[in-house]
């Protein structure tokens, strides 16, 4: 038997195989394909349906361009964004400390848990009716509805995050005689941030949706008001155009602000 070392043959590349796309190019390709399929199905359905029932993508696009050229377009979009952001900020300002308090105190959690269940059960349409009775046709109506929809979601997520705080860290802080306020700020608050952002993104999405309900019932401007106005006049292409605009705004705010901010704040976490 020869003592020469044996060499393994080099792997031979198989012909006819192309490298797979990885990362964001592959995701972008799949999403573009999904959008193309959706538009094709929409166009095919619209070609067999009257325009006042289902307008085609071209008619909706023309309606959107017409809306964007109107004088009050910027005002309506700005008012809806203002009401949603104000309601969301108030919900975060109230829901975060309440969630921390419930997570830090078992007694408070047992007392207020039924109240939270009731808040999560009541529909946004009911809150809109109450808001119209209390505030009339005003900005406060939409802000209140967004607040009452988003606040329980943020509170619940923060509460769950506070319950999952490492007990050993809390015991160590108490052994060092830290005050309850410093324990909340130094231990609970950093621990609940991932839960807060999860609840905040969900609450912000719901806030956009319920703002349309509130503006439809109790506003004289905004996207929801224009949607109701177009529906009353059977301007279906404008209804689709406003809806498309709302979806785009939600995607831009979600993908352009909330997700990058969350990735930046939690870049230390393993993927």
């Amino acid at each position: 038997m020869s003592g020469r070392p044996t060499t393994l043959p080099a792997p031979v590349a198989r012909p006819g195989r192309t490298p797979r796309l990885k990362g964001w190019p592959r995701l972008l390709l799949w999403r573009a394909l999904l959008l193309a399929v959706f538009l094709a199905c929409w166009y095919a359905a619209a070609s067999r349906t009257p325009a006042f029932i289902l307008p085609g993508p071209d008619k909706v696009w023309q309606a959107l361009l017409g809306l964007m050229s109107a004088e009050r377009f910027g005002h309506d979009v700005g008012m809806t964004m203002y009401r949603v952001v104000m309601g969301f900020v108030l919900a975060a300002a109230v829901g975060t400390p309440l969630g921390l308090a419930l997570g830090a105190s078992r007694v408070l959690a047992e007392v207020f848990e039924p109240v939270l269940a009731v808040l999560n059960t009541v529909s946004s349409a009911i809150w809109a009716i109450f808001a119209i009775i209390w505030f009339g046709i005003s900005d406060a109506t939409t802000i209140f509805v967004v607040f009452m929809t988003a606040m329980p979601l943020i509170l619940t997520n923060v509460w769950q995050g506070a319950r999952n705080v490492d007990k050993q860290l809390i015991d160590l802080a108490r052994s060092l005689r830290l005050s309850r306020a410093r324990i909340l700020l130094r231990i609970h608050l950093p621990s609940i941030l991932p839960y807060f952002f999860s609840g905040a993104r969900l609450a912000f999405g719901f806030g956009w949706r319920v703002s349309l309900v509130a503006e439809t019932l109790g506003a004289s401007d905004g996207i929801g008001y224009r949607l109701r106005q177009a529906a009353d006049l059977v301007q279906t292409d404008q209804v689709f155009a406003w809806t498309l605009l709302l979806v785009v705004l939600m995607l831009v705010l979600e993908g352009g602000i909330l997700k990058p901010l969350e990735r930046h704040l939690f870049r230390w976490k393993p993927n």
Side-chain angles (χ1 to χ4, degrees), residues 126-140:
I126 297 177
W127 289 125
I129 295 173
F130 284 141
I132 293 173
I133 296 174
W134 294 335
F135 306 111
I137 307 297
S138 65
D139 293 343

Side-chain angles (χ1 to χ4, degrees), residues 62 72 104 110 162 202 245:
Q62 292 299 324
R72 294 187 58 85
E110 292 177 352
L202 184 63
L245 175 68

Side-chain angles (χ1 to χ4, degrees), residues 87 91 119-120 122-125 127-128 142-154 202-203 205-211:
L119 292 177
N120 283 317
V122 178
S123 170
S124 58
W127 289 125
T142 304
I143 293 174
F144 175 79
V145 175
V146 173
F147 169 80
M148 293 304 300
T149 303
M151 189 271 293
L153 295 173
I154 295 177
L202 184 63
F206 273 98
W208 269 106
R209 299 171 198 172
V210 301
S211 68

Side-chain angles (χ1 to χ4, degrees), residues 70-94:
E71 293 183 0
R72 294 187 58 85
F73 175 79
H75 172 77
D76 290 322
V77 175
M79 289 306 299
T80 297
M81 293 188 65
Y82 163 76
R83 292 161 183 160
V84 172
V85 171
M86 284 297 299
F88 175 77
V89 169
L90 290 175
V94 174

Side-chain angles (χ1 to χ4, degrees), residues 187-208:
I187 298 178
H188 283 84
L189 188 58
S191 300
I192 61 94
L193 276 179
Y195 295 88
F196 168 79
F197 269 90
S198 176
R201 288 173 56 186
L202 184 63
F204 194 77
F206 273 98
W208 269 106

